[in-house]
Amino acid sequence: MNYRPPPLLPAVTNEQRPPPVPQVRAAEAAWNTRNADRVALAYTEDTEWRNRAEFIKGRDAVREFLRKKWQREQGYVLRKYLFAHSGNRIAVCFEYEYHDSSGQWYRAYGNENWEFAENGLMRKRIASINEAPIREAERRISVPEGQDVAYNTWLADQGIGGSHFPLAGGSLPTY
């Protein structure tokens, strides 16, 4: 694959105001397509990842990792939330839900640290993820197509919020 489309959004800088919510939302939207070819184009050719305990190097390896992930994680729906940013780095927290081939549902929570190259592509992604089985009736972020989740359930449930926190209790209209 020789074609490299331009980055969807400009690289992140300390001077960026307002914070880089569009970059976070674009990443969320891309991952929710579950299209490994499309998602992989957002990363540099030599991107480095740590996903849980797995170390991945290079765009082709990322593409293969994502294909396997989304074969295994069916009904996958992801929500990402900006946590902090500085220079060419963004930290996000996220939650996602999926079910396996037996129909067992899971909810995963985690944090990601992103580092961007000069061209706006992501060169490093470090993800720490925990998950737990849930009943289908406990799903809370897998909403009908076209409907958006208005708050980060995980952060709100932890009591994290207030005006000092970017999500303000997880209820800012931006999210």
Side-chain angles (χ1 to χ4, degrees):
M1 209 186 262
N2 292 332
Y3 171 71
R4 287 191 210 176
L8 295 175
L9 297 162
V12 176
T13 67
N14 271 342
E15 296 75 38
Q16 184 167 345
R17 300 288 182 261
V21 172
Q23 284 91 339
V24 175
R25 299 298 281 188
E28 175 186 290
W31 277 64
N32 278 325
T33 68
R34 298 181 299 276
N35 180 328
D37 293 324
R38 175 182 171 192
V39 173
L41 291 175
Y43 300 92
T44 61
E45 289 285 340
D46 62 346
T47 191
E48 295 180 24
W49 282 26
R50 180 180 60 76
N51 195 85
R52 301 179 191 241
E54 191 169 350
F55 294 84
I56 304 160
K57 183 150 175 78
R59 184 185 289 160
D60 291 337
V62 164
R63 186 179 294 111
E64 186 58 29
F65 169 83
L66 292 172
R67 283 184 181 137
K68 289 178 182 175
K69 171 185 177 65
W70 290 321
Q71 285 174 354
R72 188 177 60 253
E73 297 178 1
Q74 301 168 19
Y76 177 93
V77 177
L78 167 72
R79 298 293 177 248
K80 290 183 182 281
Y81 309 92
L82 175 65
F83 188 79
H85 73 98
S86 179
N88 65 338
R89 296 179 175 157
I90 297 176
V92 299
C93 51
F94 62 87
E95 57 185 337
Y96 65 89
E97 294 173 346
Y98 71 93
H99 65 84
D100 62 20
S101 58
S102 74
Q104 172 62 59
W105 281 92
Y106 296 87
R107 184 176 306 113
Y109 303 101
N111 299 294
E112 291 178 332
N113 297 316
W114 301 341
E115 183 178 273
F116 293 88
E118 296 290 321
N119 63 3
L121 297 177
M122 195 182 301
R123 70 174 157 218
K124 191 171 285 190
R125 174 183 173 268
I126 301 169
S128 298
I129 307 166
N130 298 299
E131 68 182 47
I134 60 172
R135 294 185 312 277
E136 185 173 8
E138 293 176 302
R139 293 169 52 209
R140 61 183 181 202
I141 65 168
S142 300
V143 297
E145 189 73 29
Q147 186 176 341
D148 201 8
V149 174
Y151 66 98
N152 181 326
T153 55
W154 172 65
L155 290 175
D157 287 353
Q158 305 309 309
I160 298 173
S163 59
H164 66 284
F165 190 71
L167 298 179
S171 61
L172 279 179
T174 326
Y175 296 91

